[in-house]
Amino acid sequence: MSKTRTKNHILRLVQGVIIGAGAILPGISGGVLAVIFGIYRPMMEVLTHPKQALRRYWRMLLPVGIGWALGFFGGSGAVLLLFNHSETLATCLFIGLILGTVPGLWREAGEQGRSRGAYFSAGLSFLVLFSLLLGVQLGSFGQMKANFFGFLFCGVLWGLSLIVPGMTSSSILMAVDLLAPMLDGITAFDLSVILPWLLGMLGTILLLARVINWLFKAHYALASHAVVGIVLASTLIIIPLSYASAGEAAACLLCAGIGAVLAHLSGKLQAAEES
């Protein structure tokens, strides 16, 4: 194996680690990171036309897949540590991370123009998801439990976050109180958590990859603006409404600011990489 090929494999492994670890954090989409690293199109080709695409891309995607697993399982422990220290402060940090990505996400959504339908798509997706999440929080649909079906739901959202650039699953899972139990189970390698999560993720990818790929090709503005609405709804619903003290409220504002700055700087680095 040549030195150049070895370096490429190491680079792809590192990129996979970044995608896997980044996908754990609310506000960071595994699909967006895959786009940035030039992996999204090959990945979608493999998912939609596996026989032809695997022959062409397996050398590229194998180290990425290994790196993704390493980053995901390692990153879950770090995020769980934050939640165990202070769930409120961790949530506010992640809110800042999410809000810091919104301007870039909005710019990307408008790359092919903004029609009335695009604005309607963003508004509709926001209202539908916010209403559903609010209903869950108020008990209208019953609290989601950390059981087989709950973790299956986690996997479904994770599958969507991989094939829909810009979609992040973690903030939605925070809203329904499933993120911490899922991360706890993954960190502990609990098969009662990992197996339904994998089933939901793989099933979603296999069933919807072609549909999502077609939507973004044929109706980019509508699909991308719907993602913006989803991100905003899943962020608004997780904002803490009560604090232990004025000091905690101030600390939360600081954490949100730090998260927003980090997301902004990350966006600048990504833009520099693309240019």
Side-chain angles (χ1 to χ4, degrees):
M1 184 181 293
S2 68
K3 288 184 179 180
T4 302
R5 182 173 293 181
T6 301
K7 288 180 180 178
N8 287 338
H9 287 335
I10 293 173
L11 177 62
R12 292 299 184 188
L13 182 71
V14 172
Q15 289 174 343
V17 170
I18 294 171
I19 293 171
I24 292 287
L25 297 173
I28 299 179
S29 164
V32 166
L33 292 172
V35 170
I36 292 167
F37 293 138
I39 298 167
Y40 181 76
R41 287 183 182 274
M43 180 185 74
M44 293 302 293
E45 283 189 38
V46 168
L47 293 174
T48 52
H49 304 94
K51 288 185 179 179
Q52 303 93 323
L54 272 175
R55 295 192 200 120
R56 185 177 179 184
Y57 295 117
W58 74 270
R59 285 186 179 87
M60 172 198 291
L61 295 179
L62 180 60
V64 171
I66 294 171
W68 181 91
L70 293 173
F72 180 83
F73 287 103
S76 61
V79 174
L80 186 62
L81 188 64
L82 279 175
F83 269 90
N84 289 337
H85 177 69
S86 174
E87 184 173 341
T88 303
L89 290 178
T91 299
C92 289
L93 175 64
F94 293 149
I95 288 171
L97 284 169
I98 299 167
L99 293 178
T101 65
V102 169
L105 191 61
W106 181 253
R107 285 194 299 271
E108 289 177 14
E111 283 182 353
Q112 297 183 16
R114 303 189 204 276
S115 62
R116 288 183 180 179
Y119 287 105
F120 178 78
S121 177
L124 181 63
S125 64
F126 174 87
L127 289 174
V128 169
L129 182 60
F130 185 80
S131 299
L132 287 174
L133 293 177
L134 186 62
V136 170
Q137 285 195 346
L138 296 177
S140 300
F141 302 103
Q143 291 293 329
M144 296 199 71
K145 296 180 180 178
N147 55 19
F148 178 88
F149 294 104
F151 296 127
L152 186 72
F153 175 72
C154 293
V156 169
L157 287 181
W158 232 268
L160 285 172
S161 72
L162 285 175
I163 60 178
V164 181
M167 170 127 182
T168 174
S169 59
S170 299
S171 52
I172 299 175
L173 295 180
M174 287 169 67
V176 295
D177 293 326
L178 281 177
L179 182 63
M182 184 197 71
L183 294 179
D184 196 10
I186 289 173
T187 304
F189 289 94
D190 185 347
L191 292 181
S192 67
V193 176
I194 293 174
L195 290 180
W197 172 77
L198 281 175
L199 180 63
M201 181 174 65
L202 295 176
T204 299
I205 290 172
L206 292 174
L207 288 173
L208 297 181
R210 291 194 178 193
V211 176
I212 297 298
N213 197 33
W214 173 80
L215 274 175
F216 272 87
K217 283 184 176 180
H219 304 284
Y220 176 83
L222 294 179
S224 57
H225 281 80
V227 169
V228 174
I230 289 169
V231 170
L232 290 175
S234 58
T235 304
L236 183 61
I237 201 72
I238 63 174
I239 295 175
L241 299 178
S242 61
Y243 303 92
S245 64
E248 185 183 55
C252 285
L253 283 175
L254 179 62
C255 285
I258 291 171
V261 170
L262 289 175
H264 177 70
L265 293 176
S266 175
K268 281 195 167 184
L269 288 174
Q270 291 166 6
E273 288 281 337
E274 290 174 336
S275 59

